[in-house]
């Protein structure tokens, strides 16, 4: 482990991911982010102790005890002071104070105030903290390979299923391989990621490129802090800067120290792109629901109280009426005293009942108003947010220099769905900026739809646009020869890890860099063709398949029949295995085999 590149050794981040990915997958997003934040704070504390490299501030309690944040929490938990829930509360308190002390470095201030969302019911098991500390204690990692600190944090955030990048629709590990190869960054060049998420793409660029200036901006406040922490742990942190805020409203990163930007990256596959607006609407819905539940509970309790008071008032009234009949048989002083007592009790109950009924009427009015507010909040939540893809692309083009690039990761709908496709086509036809279109399979960065990568380049000279259709993994595998490690998967339900590999994206990147025309995969299309009109009277859209369909690889009839036969046999085998398994469990078969009227012919046979 002393040299991660040495033969027979593995980086700390890979060891951690291999051993704990399953544990990370069982955590919810808030717990996973908190553990990564704690690890980063812990690593920065150790860095501050060694030669005082980092100028970050730590909470007073950490300075007081002279221990790292994780050691402090572990000490409290092992002493029996804190449960996993209490450990999480302590950790959240440390993290909030840490952000408060360093908020100027991350760009908070003015109307931007840091506030954690969805931080309730978090647990931090002591065993997990101890395992992370045993495998990747920061002081040991620093001594062996300080580059691994940021990688360990990335493994905690994005290892296995439930990746934070996927859940937040931000640049993930796999697509970062492709984007990194598309970035022509030389020493001294600047790159801006306008939705940097957890900093995965920036970390990849800093790893692949030498002496570049990396800038990140992120709308989600917690993700911005996480990305800032990850950059602070990176050995090239002096050339990396992360700020919080919507890039269309707060131009922090693009104007930082007036440094020019050579490449801007836009990541807009989430149609609810306005994170601040979306968070505000969801917060309004949550607050309205909580207030409605609270008012409903109070109203139910008050109605029950009014029923009891009404019953007590009626009993007191009946007691007064009964006493009037018995009054003549009692001595006058005793009768007068008892009469006053009964009247006083009746009046007190009536006063309390009037007060409670007045409160109940007020609560009913509040409940009615809250019901209207809740309905309006739900209606606002249903309305889709404005798709800002084109606005972000334009902003990226404004940020880069005269020969700069803007790389946009968008939903494939932007290639054919108006009005986005009309705006993007204008960048190609009228301004001659569109340079590359790559359509990718589903599953990129958590997207359910297909994803496209668009590259816009300033200073083009009427060059053809390269279109690449990478949606068919079989075609890419045959043309680019991904290797014999690929295992064919029958049907359409293929494992994400089987297709979206580093080799897959590297192969596509090579086609992009070479700008080569490959039958069935890529085609160079002149700009004039993008302004053409189809036979149906519509303008050509930007989907690659329409330019490549005539050159697609064609299988021979024998190969097609062989593949159909393999699929048929796989179905037969699966059916037999299911019947056998249900029989072993004592379950009835899901279906009854029927004899066909005549023998069926297997596909691929005659």
């Amino acid at each position: 482990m002393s040299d991660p590149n040495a033969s027979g050794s593995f980086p700390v981040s890979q060891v951690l991911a291999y051993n704990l990915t399953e544990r990370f997958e069982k955590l919810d997003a808030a717990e996973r982010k908190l553990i990564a934040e704690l690890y980063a704070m812990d690593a920065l504390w150790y860095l501050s102790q060694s030669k005082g490299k980092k100028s970050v501030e730590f909470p007073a309690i950490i300075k007081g005890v002279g221990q790292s944040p994780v050691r402090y929490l572990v000490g409290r938990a092992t002493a029996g002071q804190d449960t996993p829930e209490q450990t999480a509360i302590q950790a959240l308190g440390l993290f909030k104070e840490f952000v408060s002390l360093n908020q100027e470095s991350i760009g908070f201030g003015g109307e931007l105030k840091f506030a954690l969302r969805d931080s309730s019911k978090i647990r931090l098991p002591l065993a997990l903290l101890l395992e992370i500390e045993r495998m990747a204690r920061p002081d040991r990692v620093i001594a062996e390979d300080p580059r691994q600190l940021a990688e360990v944090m990335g493994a905690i955030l994005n290892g296995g299923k439930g990746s934070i990048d996927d859940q937040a629709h931000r640049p993930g590990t796999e697509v970062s391989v492709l984007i990194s190869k598309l970035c022509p960054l030389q020493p001294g060049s600047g790159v801006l990621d306008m939705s940097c998420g957890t900093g995965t793409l920036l970390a990849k660029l800093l790893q692949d490129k030498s002496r570049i200036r990396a800038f990140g901006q992120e709308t989600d406040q917690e993700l911005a802090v996480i990305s800032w922490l990850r950059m602070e742990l990176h050995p090239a942190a002096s050339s990396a800067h992360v700020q919080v805020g919507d890039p269309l409203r707060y131009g922090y990163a693009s104007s930082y120290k007036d440094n020019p930007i050579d490449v801007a990256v836009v990541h807009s596959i989430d149609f609810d792109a306005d994170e601040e607006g979306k968070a505000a609407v969801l917060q309004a819905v949550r607050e309205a629901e909580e207030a409605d539940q609270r008012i409903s509970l109070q109203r139910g309790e008050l109605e029950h109280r009014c029923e009891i008071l009404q019953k007590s008032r009626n009993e007191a009234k009946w007691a007064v009426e009964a006493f009037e009949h018995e009054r003549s048989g009692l001595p006058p002083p005793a009768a007068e005293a008892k009469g006053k007592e009964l009247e006083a009790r009746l009046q007190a109950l009536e006063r309390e009942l009037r007060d409670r009924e007045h409160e109940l009427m007020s609560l009913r009015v509040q409940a009615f108003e809250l019901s209207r507010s809740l309905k309006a909040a739900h209606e606002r939540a249903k309305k889709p947010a404005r798709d800002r893809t084109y606005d972000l692309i334009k902003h990226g083009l404004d940020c880069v220099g005269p020969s700069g690039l803007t790389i946009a990761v968008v939903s494939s709908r932007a290639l054919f769905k108006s009005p986005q496709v009309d705006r993007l086509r204008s960048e190609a036809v009228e301004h001659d900026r569109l340079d590359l279109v790559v359509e990718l399979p589903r599953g990129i960065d958590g997207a359910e739809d297909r994803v496209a990568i668009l590259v816009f380049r300033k200073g083009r000279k009427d060059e053809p646009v390269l279109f690449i259709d990478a949606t068919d993994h079989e075609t890419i595998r045959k043309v680019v020869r991904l290797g014999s490690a690929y295992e064919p998967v029958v049907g359409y339900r293929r494992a994400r890890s089987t297709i979206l590999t580093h080799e897959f994206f590297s192969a596509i990147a090579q086609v992009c860099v070479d700008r080569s025309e490959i039958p069935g995969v890529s085609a160079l299309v002149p700009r004039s063709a993008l302004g053409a009109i189809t036979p149906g009277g519509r303008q050509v859209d930007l989907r690659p398949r329409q330019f490549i369909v005539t050159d697609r690889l064609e299988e021979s009839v024998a190969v097609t029949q062989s593949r159909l036969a393999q699929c048929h046999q796989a179905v037969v085998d699966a059916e037999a295995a299911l019947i056998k398994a249900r029989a072993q469990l004592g379950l009835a078969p899901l279906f009854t085999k029927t004899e066909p009227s005549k023998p069926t012919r297997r596909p691929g046979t005659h």
Side-chain angles (χ1 to χ4, degrees):
M1 193 169 68
S2 59
D3 182 2
N5 299 316
S7 176
S9 63
F10 296 94
V12 179
S13 57
Q14 290 187 17
V15 173
L16 185 78
Y18 179 80
N19 287 281
L20 295 183
T21 290
E22 188 175 347
R23 293 284 299 272
F24 295 147
E25 290 175 352
K26 294 179 181 178
L27 301 173
D28 63 28
E31 291 170 339
R32 199 164 181 171
K33 286 188 283 189
L34 182 57
I35 290 175
E37 291 155 358
L38 270 179
Y39 183 83
M41 289 169 56
D42 211 53
L44 287 173
W45 187 86
Y46 281 108
L47 284 171
S48 68
Q49 300 301 302
S50 60
K51 301 180 183 179
K53 290 183 178 180
K54 297 296 175 181
S55 58
V56 294
E57 294 293 328
F58 291 91
I61 186 66
I62 298 302
K63 291 181 178 179
V65 298
Q67 290 182 322
S68 72
V70 172
R71 274 285 92 201
Y72 168 71
L73 295 172
V74 167
R76 287 181 60 92
T78 52
Q81 291 179 264
D82 295 332
T83 63
E85 291 81 4
Q86 292 169 333
T87 300
I89 293 172
Q90 292 284 338
L92 284 170
L94 291 176
F95 178 61
K96 290 177 182 177
E97 186 178 350
F98 176 83
V99 175
S100 176
L101 292 170
N102 298 279
Q103 60 180 350
E104 291 185 6
S105 300
I106 321 171
F108 288 104
E111 61 183 25
L112 285 173
K113 304 294 183 183
F114 179 69
L116 276 174
R117 298 195 298 266
D118 303 325
S119 59
S120 59
K121 299 181 180 178
I122 297 180
R123 298 175 72 254
L124 283 187
L126 173 62
L128 181 55
L129 291 179
L130 290 173
E131 282 185 90
I132 293 174
E133 192 177 44
R134 177 178 63 83
M135 294 182 193
R137 182 164 165 164
D139 55 343
R140 299 170 189 158
V141 176
I142 292 168
E144 297 180 8
D145 184 5
R147 294 173 299 175
Q148 284 295 304
L149 290 173
E151 296 299 317
V152 169
M153 188 180 176
I156 296 173
L157 288 164
N158 300 312
K161 297 178 181 178
S163 161
I164 301 301
D165 285 337
D166 282 358
Q167 294 184 50
H169 298 296
R170 295 297 190 275
T173 304
E174 294 87 3
V175 77
S176 295
V177 174
L178 175 54
I179 295 176
S180 176
K181 293 181 181 297
L182 293 179
C183 290
L185 296 172
Q186 303 298 324
S189 299
V191 59
L192 165 63
D193 185 354
M194 291 192 287
S195 49
C196 60
T198 63
T200 300
L201 175 58
L202 291 178
K204 178 64 176 172
L205 290 171
L206 290 170
Q207 174 186 334
D208 290 352
K209 314 295 181 180
S210 62
R211 301 192 307 278
I212 64 168
R213 295 173 292 104
F215 303 103
Q217 192 154 8
E218 174 55 51
T219 306
D220 186 289
Q221 295 183 355
E222 188 176 10
L223 291 181
V225 176
I226 289 172
S227 185
W228 176 79
L229 286 168
R230 199 165 170 184
M231 293 303 101
E232 285 293 304
L233 294 181
H234 203 283
S238 58
S239 65
H241 187 75
V242 177
Q243 289 280 9
V244 67
D246 184 345
L248 296 181
R249 295 175 60 192
Y250 308 101
Y252 290 126
S254 60
S255 60
Y256 179 66
K257 294 183 179 179
D258 296 326
N259 283 321
I261 299 297
D262 299 284
V263 177
V265 180
V266 174
H267 199 275
S268 182
I269 61 173
D270 185 1
F271 279 92
D272 295 327
D274 187 354
E275 294 282 347
E276 290 180 345
K278 179 183 176 183
V281 170
L282 293 178
Q283 182 67 23
V285 170
R286 282 195 297 268
E287 290 175 355
E289 288 176 343
E290 290 171 1
D292 184 63
Q293 293 175 0
R294 186 167 57 252
I295 289 294
S296 298
L297 182 62
Q298 292 176 359
R299 187 177 63 180
E301 293 175 350
L302 200 53
E303 287 175 347
H304 181 63
R305 177 63 178 161
C306 286
E307 290 176 2
I308 294 174
L309 284 173
Q310 194 169 23
K311 183 178 179 181
S312 300
R313 192 273 310 267
N314 291 338
E315 291 175 351
K317 188 175 181 180
W318 295 334
V320 169
E321 292 174 355
F323 173 71
E324 291 298 331
H325 295 292
E326 300 172 357
R327 188 184 187 98
S328 57
L330 296 174
E336 185 176 357
K338 187 173 182 181
K340 288 181 178 180
E341 180 186 347
L342 292 174
E343 285 290 342
R345 183 169 181 273
L346 177 60
Q347 291 175 6
L349 287 170
E350 286 180 339
R351 281 196 303 272
E352 187 177 358
L353 180 59
R354 282 196 302 271
D355 293 342
R356 296 296 174 265
E357 286 178 340
H358 180 73
E359 290 181 22
L360 180 58
M361 182 61 67
S362 178
L363 277 177
R364 284 173 176 165
V365 172
Q366 291 183 46
F368 176 74
E369 294 295 333
L370 277 173
S371 177
R372 293 178 60 184
S373 300
L374 181 59
K375 184 177 179 181
H378 278 297
E379 289 298 322
R380 287 197 301 273
K382 289 178 183 177
K383 293 180 181 178
R386 181 173 63 92
D387 186 0
R388 309 187 310 162
T389 298
Y390 182 71
D391 296 335
L392 290 168
I393 292 173
K394 285 289 291 179
H395 180 66
L397 287 169
D398 292 339
C399 290
V400 299
S403 59
L405 294 183
T406 292
I407 301 173
V409 183
V410 302
S411 169
S412 287
R413 298 181 192 179
L415 302 181
F416 63 89
K417 187 176 181 181
S418 295
Q420 293 294 348
V421 67
D422 298 328
R423 296 169 176 170
L424 296 175
R425 189 192 296 108
S426 71
E427 290 296 324
V429 177
E430 298 173 17
H431 303 292
D432 192 21
R433 290 173 172 171
L434 184 62
D435 191 64
L436 170 68
V437 179
V438 183
E439 191 170 10
L440 297 167
R442 291 179 177 85
I444 307 296
D445 299 344
E448 295 182 0
D449 297 328
R450 287 179 176 175
V451 169
I453 293 183
L454 310 175
V455 176
F456 300 86
R457 177 162 58 91
K458 286 185 175 181
R460 281 169 46 87
K461 297 180 180 179
D462 200 21
E463 300 168 1
V465 180
L466 178 63
F467 285 85
I468 300 176
D469 183 3
T471 58
D472 186 357
H473 184 265
E474 291 283 349
T475 302
I476 297 293
R477 183 176 68 89
K478 290 175 183 176
V479 171
V480 189
R481 292 183 174 84
L482 292 181
S484 58
Y486 170 78
E487 292 293 335
V489 182
V490 176
Y492 294 98
R493 295 183 177 273
R494 298 171 177 174
R496 180 173 183 263
S497 59
T498 304
I499 297 178
L500 305 181
T501 61
H502 285 209
E503 292 76 17
F504 175 71
F505 286 102
S506 295
I508 297 171
Q510 192 60 48
V511 178
C512 297
V513 172
D514 293 342
R515 294 188 66 81
S516 54
E517 287 191 286
I518 301 176
V521 174
S522 63
L524 288 167
V525 180
R527 184 180 65 169
S528 58
L530 302 180
I533 305 297
T534 65
R538 301 178 62 184
Q539 281 189 296
V540 173
D541 58 41
L542 300 179
R543 285 175 289 188
R545 69 191 71 176
Q546 64 189 320
F547 303 111
I548 304 171
V549 66
T550 56
D551 296 328
R552 280 192 180 279
L553 292 178
E554 296 294 341
E555 290 181 339
S556 65
V557 175
V559 172
T560 301
Q561 289 179 340
S562 175
R563 290 181 62 195
L564 286 173
Q566 291 177 8
C567 292
H568 175 81
Q569 188 58 47
V571 171
V572 171
D573 294 343
E575 178 183 309
L578 177 62
I579 293 173
K580 182 179 179 181
R582 291 186 66 85
Q584 291 175 345
L585 294 171
L587 302 174
L590 292 175
F591 52 86
T592 304
K593 277 192 170 184
T594 57
E595 291 294 331
S597 56
K598 60 180 181 179
T600 57
R601 178 178 61 83
R602 288 179 57 196
T605 60
H606 298 280

